[in-house]
Amino acid sequence: MTVEAPSRPALAERQARVAVAVLFFTNGALFANLLPRYPQIKADLGLSNSLYGLAVAAFPAGAIAAGLAAGVAIRRLGSARAAVLGTLLTGAGILAAGLADSVVLFAGALFLAGAMDAVTDVAQNAHGLRVQRHYGRSIINSFHAVWSIGAVAGGSMAAAAIALGLSRGQHLTISAVVFAVAACIALRYCLSGPETETGPGTETGPGAETGPGAETANAPVPASESASVPDIGGRVEGAGGPGTRGRRTVYVLAALVLIATAGTLVEDAGSSWATLYLSGSLHASVTLAAFGYIALVGAQFIGRVIGDRLVDRFGQRTVARAGGLITAAGMGLALAVPSVPGTVLGFAAAGLGVATLVPAAMHEADELPGLKPGSGLAIVSWLMRLGFLASPPIVGLVTDATSLRVGLLVVPLAGLLAFLLAGVLRNRHH
């Protein structure tokens, strides 16, 4: 799956990079347009807190239900087409959720949106990794940084729509149409050809994949890759028996799932608990308490902007290990010596530390030998979402039994987990 890339990417490859960035931007912006509408939807439907919580859980539930189907969609449609189709259906689901007049329709629409978002997420990462192989250097972190920009833009777009007095239907219709058009235009400039590329002669001109076909689903793994697989320490071992190679692939895949989950656990701790911890346990003002999450996502964005250069210079393994230590030390110190400024800095350190973990795990999973195109990526994404879904109740149970300060130990522990398992990542990006 390695492509020998020229020192300067061709025009078609540069256009494909922009196209993938557009897909990441639209994916981040679509759901962010709905989030500020949640309080109004809750009030209009007359939902209790518990019923509202169950209803919004339909989004991650849909993502989990459809997550493993993403690999099939990629092999049948191609990663670009799968990403764009998922984007169109995600927008439709979000619009339906905004217009729902009952909790059943609201939850059902969120389930559809979550399912299609999962397909889009895997497919756009798969196509981004295709473009990265043509570039011959790391660019995947920049796509995730663009996703963060899209999320901020989507939330701002929703705030503006509310300020202008637009109804949910008007606002979410505009959002769905704008980002559907953007995704369809981006499709024109995505890479063509089969998902598995074996050499520099692979066609890369503008246009979506040539369509479903056996050459994608059954594309052979290059001999140079099928002969070796990274072991749990990140070294490349020579070919053994099929059973040995299969077991090693499973071990590596499991480690990659845990690395990705470590990244999402830290993200969830920031979004779900940072404000509560700062305002409750540390008695910060409401305004100041918001800076825990802001610091985390801001530092994570910076980490992803510079992450590709760091990966190219030091390698995925080294960057992940350093990030794990930064996360563990920064948040560990903040919890050991609690203060408002120290905690804000601790969340910033955690965001910076985990910035490259999910992209690194997805990249390595996509390169695993012996798996069909998109399968490793789909498995890691699906199991990562399971961990993300389980995180809030686990932290909540620990908090109820002890304190939120103890519950937030999940952050430094996630950093240590990433540090210990980073050996499965290679210190070469392609």
Side-chain angles (χ1 to χ4, degrees):
M1 294 175 67
T2 299
V3 173
E4 296 294 334
S7 56
R8 177 174 173 79
L11 175 61
E13 291 160 351
R14 297 197 300 273
Q15 290 175 333
R17 181 177 182 177
V18 174
V20 174
V22 170
L23 293 177
F24 271 81
F25 183 91
T26 60
N27 184 245
L30 271 174
F31 189 56
N33 264 278
L34 179 63
L35 291 176
R37 293 289 191 171
Y38 272 177
Q40 185 184 10
I41 293 172
K42 179 177 180 292
D44 288 350
L45 296 181
L47 303 180
S48 65
N49 288 324
S50 58
L51 191 56
Y52 167 76
L54 287 173
V56 297
F59 187 88
I64 291 168
L68 290 180
V72 177
I74 289 171
R75 291 192 294 275
R76 292 191 175 181
L77 300 175
S79 56
R81 283 179 174 163
V84 172
L85 179 61
T87 297
L88 300 182
L89 293 176
T90 299
I94 289 171
L95 174 59
L99 296 175
D101 58 3
S102 72
V103 65
V104 174
L105 291 177
F106 177 57
L110 285 180
F111 186 91
L112 169 65
M116 294 302 100
D117 178 75
V119 173
T120 302
D121 183 41
V122 175
Q124 69 187 8
N125 273 283
H127 205 77
L129 289 167
R130 281 191 66 194
V131 176
Q132 175 170 283
R133 287 192 287 272
H134 282 270
Y135 264 66
R137 57 184 172 86
S138 179
I139 59 173
I140 190 66
N141 290 288
S142 67
F143 294 137
H144 286 257
V146 170
W147 185 95
S148 299
I149 296 173
V152 172
S156 301
M157 182 176 170
I162 293 171
L164 291 172
L166 296 181
S167 68
R168 290 199 302 273
Q170 292 171 327
H171 160 216
L172 295 175
T173 297
I174 293 171
S175 171
V177 170
V178 167
F179 295 120
V181 170
C184 289
I185 293 174
L187 178 62
R188 172 70 180 84
Y189 297 96
C190 289
L191 297 177
S192 61
E195 289 301 303
T196 302
E197 298 146 333
T198 59
T202 302
E203 181 188 357
T204 61
E209 286 82 0
T210 54
E215 75 277 9
T216 300
N218 301 314
V221 177
S224 61
E225 297 219 2
S226 63
S228 62
V229 58
D231 70 1
I232 201 70
R235 298 177 299 277
V236 176
E237 299 290 342
T244 301
R245 292 198 303 272
R247 285 193 297 272
R248 285 175 180 160
T249 298
V250 171
Y251 295 154
V252 172
L253 199 56
L256 294 176
V257 168
L258 291 174
I259 289 172
T261 301
T264 58
L265 286 176
V266 173
E267 292 177 18
D268 178 70
S271 61
S272 299
W273 304 105
T275 302
L276 290 176
Y277 178 64
L278 283 161
S279 61
S281 302
L282 301 183
H283 309 293
S285 67
V286 175
T287 302
L288 190 55
F291 277 89
Y293 178 65
I294 292 171
L296 185 143
V297 296
Q300 185 181 58
F301 170 73
I302 293 171
R304 285 174 170 172
V305 168
I306 66 174
D308 290 315
R309 289 191 291 273
L310 293 175
V311 167
D312 282 334
R313 181 168 182 178
F314 302 107
Q316 294 275 26
R317 187 192 314 159
T318 302
V319 173
R321 280 178 171 162
L325 286 179
I326 291 171
T327 300
M331 198 62 196
L333 183 61
L335 293 173
V337 187
S339 70
V340 172
T343 300
V344 171
L345 290 175
F347 276 111
L352 182 67
V354 303
T356 67
L357 291 186
V358 172
M362 288 183 166
H363 169 240
E364 200 70 31
D366 197 50
E367 296 285 334
L368 279 177
L371 298 178
K372 292 180 178 180
S375 294
L377 197 59
I379 292 170
V380 167
S381 178
W382 183 68
L383 292 175
M384 176 187 73
R385 288 174 184 269
L386 276 178
F388 189 74
L389 185 63
S391 172
I394 291 174
V395 174
L397 287 172
V398 173
T399 298
D400 286 341
T402 54
S403 68
L404 183 50
R405 183 181 172 193
V406 175
L408 284 174
L409 284 172
V410 67
V411 176
L413 289 176
L416 287 176
L417 182 66
F419 173 79
L420 293 173
L421 295 177
V424 300
L425 301 173
R426 290 169 291 182
N427 264 342
R428 56 186 179 87
H429 62 265
H430 60 86

